[in-house]
């Protein structure tokens, strides 16, 4: 087993999902340069920009992030995204295995509206992610303006 279902990762996942916790994201990394053992490497209370700053260009990493946005003056929505980060300088075999190993991660981080495949930090632009979440959510009270 990859360790994606470790108690630390499961607790961080529950924290991100909880309306009572300040935790907004979690980051899962490989414990060593070889092998498939995953560990919780970090959590954070900031948004997508803070998460993007923690991503390592030499690694494949997985993240789960809480995104809050307003549809109008009276409503706020909370949605979740899984991020599959494949750093541009990650080892070739690690990149190749990401599609297989991300399946185990997505089983644990099961409740998400979208998957974001990212290889550059600009792939985590908040405006773009919110637009994708709005589309995935079905109801768009913003008149299609993202």
């Amino acid at each position: 087993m990859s360790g994606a279902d470790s108690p630390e990762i499961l607790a961080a996942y529950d924290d991100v999902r909880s309306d009572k916790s300040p935790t907004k994201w979690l980051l899962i990394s490989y414990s060593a340069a070889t092998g498939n053992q995953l560990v919780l490497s970090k959590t954070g209370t900031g948004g997508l920009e803070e998460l993007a700053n923690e991503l390592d260009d030499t690694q494949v990493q997985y993240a789960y992030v809480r995104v809050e946005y307003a549809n109008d003056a009276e409503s706020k929505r909370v949605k979740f995204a899984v991020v599959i980060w494949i750093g541009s300088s990650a080892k070739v075999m690690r990149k190749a295995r990401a599609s297989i190993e991300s399946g185990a991660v997505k089983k644990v981080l099961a409740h998400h509206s979208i998957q974001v495949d990212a290889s550059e930090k600009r792939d985590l632009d908040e405006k773009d992610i919110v637009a994708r979440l709005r589309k995935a959510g079905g109801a768009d009270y913003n008149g299609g303006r993202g």
Side-chain angles (χ1 to χ4, degrees):
M1 188 51 140
S2 67
D5 59 351
S6 73
E8 295 82 13
I9 291 173
L10 293 173
Y13 172 69
D14 288 342
D15 264 358
V16 172
R17 292 195 52 79
S18 173
D19 292 334
K20 296 176 182 170
S21 171
T23 305
K24 300 284 187 223
W25 56 265
L26 66 85
L27 184 61
I28 300 169
S29 303
Y30 290 92
S31 64
T34 59
N36 68 344
Q37 188 64 37
L38 295 168
V39 295
L40 177 68
S41 54
K42 198 158 205 172
T43 62
T45 57
L48 285 162
E49 185 176 346
E50 181 184 72
L51 170 61
N53 288 332
E54 296 297 331
L55 298 170
D56 184 339
D57 286 332
T58 66
Q59 292 196 37
V60 170
Q61 295 170 296
Y62 309 94
Y64 187 72
V65 61
R66 174 188 194 96
V67 181
E68 298 177 18
Y69 59 91
N71 279 328
D72 55 37
E74 279 88 45
S75 69
K76 181 175 83 169
R77 296 187 76 136
V78 176
K79 297 290 182 182
F80 301 90
V82 168
V83 177
I84 311 297
W85 170 258
I86 300 178
S88 58
S89 299
K91 293 183 179 183
V92 173
M93 287 307 295
R94 180 70 81 201
K95 289 180 181 181
R97 293 197 45 83
S99 63
I100 297 166
E101 293 174 356
S102 65
V105 172
K106 289 189 291 185
K107 283 182 182 177
V108 173
L109 310 177
H111 299 285
H112 58 275
S113 297
I114 62 170
Q115 174 180 317
V116 179
D117 297 316
S119 59
E120 297 180 20
K121 294 182 181 185
R122 69 175 181 224
D123 294 333
L124 293 179
D125 177 72
E126 187 159 3
K127 187 176 178 182
D128 293 340
I129 301 281
V130 168
R132 288 185 58 196
L133 287 167
R134 278 198 169 108
K135 286 181 184 176
D140 183 1
Y141 301 108
N142 204 26
R145 295 184 299 273

